[in-house]
Amino acid sequence: MITVKWKVAELTCPSCIKKIETVLTKQPGVVEVQVLFHSSKVKIRFDEGRVQEEELRNTLAKLGYPVLAGGGHGDGRAS
């Protein structure tokens, strides 16, 4: 499992949180999604064997919440 935390653009309301969480949790391999409204960050824990970081970034961008350049990192592998 990998956990990433990214800063995203256009996170402007609580309904944004629901939209992101609903869509990302349906992605194969995504185990947990946490959206931090006040810091505009999205934390995602996922199985890299089932979904790649780039796919998750693309999904966020298609939803209207692109990951900001330099706006996050992978936290490494979790057990």
Side-chain angles (χ1 to χ4, degrees):
M1 294 290 171
I2 290 181
T3 300
V4 294
K5 191 184 301 179
W6 296 320
K7 187 167 181 87
V8 296
E10 307 301 327
L11 192 60
T12 58
C13 63
S15 65
C16 300
I17 295 169
K18 182 71 172 165
K19 183 177 179 181
I20 291 169
E21 289 176 344
T22 299
V23 171
L24 287 181
T25 55
K26 291 180 181 177
Q27 294 285 319
V30 173
V31 176
E32 179 183 7
V33 177
Q34 182 180 22
V35 181
L36 306 170
F37 179 69
H38 294 292
S39 61
S40 296
K41 290 190 177 175
V42 177
K43 183 177 176 181
I44 309 166
R45 186 167 169 239
F46 64 97
D47 178 350
E48 71 276 18
R50 299 189 64 206
V51 65
Q52 299 299 310
E53 279 188 49
E54 192 61 30
E55 293 174 73
L56 297 173
R57 285 177 179 265
N58 289 340
T59 298
L60 283 168
K62 287 177 187 174
L63 289 173
Y65 311 103
V67 175
L68 298 173
H73 62 281
D75 294 327
R77 299 184 184 277
S79 55

